[in-house]
């Protein structure tokens, strides 16, 4: 299976890469910083990963990657929970770009693409505590 992974340099994504490789999947990692990924992982791991440096909100780049690498699944492990974010968090933009790109390629190829969003899960809604305050307060 060919997998496009966003967030390979993060806490979750850096654990997903070796897990996918251990099951003989082909991993394409779209990262903002190739050097960061290379520094983070042992050479025997990153030698098995196709690294594309770019922006995970770039619909055109995602479509090109999906098409050229015949991607079957997108896994997004990018973005952090709102309570841990330091500055703007692109999670929603990454989700939108992923869905737009996948829809376009599915329409073009008539082949399904699975999309899993496993990063930034708390970003959308921060629950209130019994006292009425959110975790952000």
């Amino acid at each position: 299976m060919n997998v496009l992974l966003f967030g390979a340099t993060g806490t979750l994504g850096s654990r997903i890469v070796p897990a996918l490789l251990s099951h003989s999947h082909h991993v394409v990692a779209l990262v903002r910083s190739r050097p960061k990924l290379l520094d983070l992982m042992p050479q025997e791991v990153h030698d098995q990963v196709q690294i594309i440096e770019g922006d995970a909100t770039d619909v055109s780049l995602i479509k090109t990657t999906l098409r050229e690498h015949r991607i079957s699944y997108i896994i997004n492990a990018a973005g952090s929970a709102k309570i841990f974010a330091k500055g703007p968090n692109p999670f929603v933009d990454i989700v939108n770009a992923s869905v737009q790109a996948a829809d376009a390629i599915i329409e073009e190829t008539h082949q399904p693409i699975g999309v899993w969003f496993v990063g930034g899960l708390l970003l959308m809604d921060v629950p209130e505590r019994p006292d009425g305050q959110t975790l952000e307060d």
Side-chain angles (χ1 to χ4, degrees), residues 25-79:
H25 299 303
H26 176 248
V27 178
V28 177
L30 177 58
V31 296
R32 288 177 292 192
S33 172
R34 174 186 289 270
K36 182 177 179 180
L37 182 64
L38 296 177
D39 288 343
L40 181 68
M41 296 185 178
Q43 184 159 349
E44 63 271 7
V45 173
H46 66 68
D47 282 351
Q48 298 177 65
V49 177
Q50 175 86 37
I51 303 170
I52 297 174
E53 199 168 29
D55 183 346
T57 64
D58 182 340
V59 176
S60 179
L61 175 61
I62 297 168
K63 286 193 313 190
T64 299
T65 303
L66 295 174
R67 185 181 301 111
E68 289 180 0
H69 296 276
R70 298 178 183 219
I71 299 296
S72 303
Y73 288 91
I74 299 171
I75 299 176
N76 176 43

